Amino acid sequence: MIRLTTGFVIALHEFPPARFAELMEHLRPAQPVPLSELVVRKKGGRSNAGLFAITVDDGVGDNVRSLAALFRARQWPATFYLPTNYLDTGRAMAFQWWWRLAPLLPRRRLDLPSGAIDLSSPGAVEELTRKMERMWHSGRVDVYLPFTLDLADAVAQDLGINRAELEGPPPISWPEVEQLSRDPLLQFESHGESHGAMSEMTEEEIASEMQHSRDTIEEHTGRACRHLCYPFGTALAIGSMAPRLARRYYDSAVTMRLGAFDTADLWFAPRIPLYPQNSLLAARMKLVLHCTRIGRLRVQKLRETKPAYLPELPKL
Ligand SMILES: [Zn+2]
């Protein structure tokens, strides 16, 4: 079935290299190629059957270092999408702070400078997690980052530690990106500047993010930056303006929507997100269901005959 795939892009976040190497064994005989090759072939009307690109989001230092070492050892081409403010400032992004804070939040009422919040009832932290996730996809960074940092201050005070000890993981440094980008196997492309939802930005803000992140990456790598990855990658976070503007600055733009590459819009291109906790079978099922003609027909048939069952499918 893997042989029947019509071209796809894998989306990774933090992923242990040994686990990824194991997963790659199970994707054979499909072959990894540079993302730019997948795009050029699609633009030229050539099939990407049996080919795929590896992409890694967010520029987390340890993750980029360890995966880049694996990709070079195995000669697997890959693309790293970098949010440039994260690398420029070395400061963690709001969602990275959140995942460190969430398990440590005190289950009581907190009076924060940005407002009071009551975490004393059962399920309150889970409810706040859902609210935060909604904010990342449909809110502005300048609204939810101060609130997140207020929560970090409250937790640090409770634990008697410095807030910096709760900060999310540090990014890969620009000198390391400069070094790694000398290897033609590794591409560094844009994940925006602020990693904010583009649906919440003005046209000028989106254009500025697209242009400045591209220019910053080109300055550091000395190579063209022609591909974009929308922050958070859902339709809600992307909005309608960003795909229109992306055409002006980039040759492709990817989302977190599942699907095959060859049949998609190049500036709203789907990927197949894989996570370390996915079983190998689940990873293959995702590919077969979304990236082969037979799988897509099967999904369509299920949609027609068993509508109640379908919502479970994307979770595979
Ligand atoms: Zn991201």
Side-chain angles (χ1 to χ4, degrees):
M1 290 302 279
I2 293 287
R3 209 185 296 270
L4 298 175
T5 56
T6 55
F8 56 95
V9 178
I10 287 177
L12 307 177
H13 290 80
E14 291 186 57
F15 216 106
R19 178 76 181 143
F20 185 67
E22 192 185 2
L23 190 88
M24 284 290 277
E25 294 295 318
H26 290 258
L27 298 184
R28 282 185 187 167
Q31 289 285 324
V33 294
L35 175 73
S36 50
E37 190 177 325
L38 222 58
V39 171
V40 167
R41 291 178 71 93
K42 179 172 157 56
K43 275 188 169 170
R46 283 182 291 159
S47 161
N48 279 312
L51 302 178
F52 66 97
I54 303 166
T55 64
V56 186
D57 295 8
D58 293 344
V60 172
D62 285 344
N63 194 49
V64 174
R65 268 174 230 118
S66 60
L67 285 176
L70 171 76
F71 299 153
R72 294 175 85 181
R74 303 293 182 94
Q75 290 293 293
W76 292 331
T79 293
F80 292 95
Y81 288 115
L82 305 178
T84 55
N85 283 356
Y86 177 42
L87 276 78
D88 284 342
T89 63
R91 308 310 310 267
M93 296 177 278
F95 64 93
Q96 295 173 318
W97 276 102
W98 172 259
W99 293 123
R100 290 259 169 113
L101 291 175
L104 304 170
L105 286 171
R107 309 297 168 116
R108 59 179 168 76
R109 186 189 153 89
L110 299 171
D111 289 304
L112 308 172
S114 46
I117 183 156
D118 189 359
L119 300 177
S120 58
S121 61
V125 171
E126 291 72 19
E127 177 54 38
L128 184 59
T129 299
R130 284 191 289 274
K131 198 175 152 195
M132 295 303 292
E133 285 179 348
R134 273 199 305 276
M135 283 212 281
W136 302 332
H137 290 252
S138 60
R140 288 182 62 92
V141 179
D142 48 15
V143 172
Y144 61 75
L145 182 61
F147 172 67
T148 310
L149 294 178
D150 284 348
L151 280 175
D153 282 332
V155 171
Q157 202 174 1
D158 256 36
L159 298 176
I161 58 171
N162 194 308
R163 185 176 85 179
E165 291 177 53
L166 294 168
E167 186 157 1
I172 191 80
S173 70
W174 284 121
E176 288 170 288
V177 170
E178 286 158 22
Q179 178 74 31
L180 289 169
S181 64
R182 287 187 202 143
D183 189 335
L185 210 57
L186 308 177
Q187 290 180 299
F188 290 90
E189 305 289 348
S190 171
H191 199 16
E193 282 186 297
S194 66
H195 203 290
M198 289 184 170
S199 56
E200 300 305 304
M201 296 180 193
T202 65
E203 186 165 346
E204 290 70 31
E205 286 171 327
I206 300 172
S208 166
E209 289 249 348
M210 288 186 180
Q211 191 182 337
H212 291 135
S213 60
R214 179 195 69 186
D215 295 349
T216 304
I217 291 165
E218 288 185 347
E219 268 169 39
H220 286 284
T221 61
R223 287 156 61 184
C225 170
R226 300 295 315 156
H227 305 278
L228 173 75
C229 171
Y230 299 110
F232 302 109
T234 55
L236 184 65
I238 297 167
S240 57
M241 209 147 33
R244 200 160 46 74
L245 288 171
R247 285 169 161 74
R248 233 186 257 168
Y249 298 97
Y250 296 98
D251 293 335
S252 78
V254 295
T255 68
M256 287 289 278
R257 201 166 55 92
L258 276 87
F261 194 74
D262 275 10
T263 47
D265 182 318
L266 266 176
W267 292 273
F268 202 72
R271 293 189 293 172
I272 303 295
L274 297 178
Y275 300 96
Q277 63 272 25
N278 281 153
S279 72
L280 297 170
L281 177 67
R284 291 178 99 163
M285 284 299 287
K286 267 190 196 178
L287 291 167
V288 168
L289 278 173
H290 295 279
C291 305
T292 65
R293 283 196 183 87
I294 294 169
R296 285 202 298 276
L297 285 174
R298 180 102 187 103
V299 170
Q300 204 176 346
K301 205 168 164 59
L302 279 170
R303 195 167 277 146
E304 284 158 10
T305 55
K306 291 185 184 171
Y309 172 61
L310 197 71
E312 289 174 32
L313 287 176
K315 288 184 200 155
L316 275 169

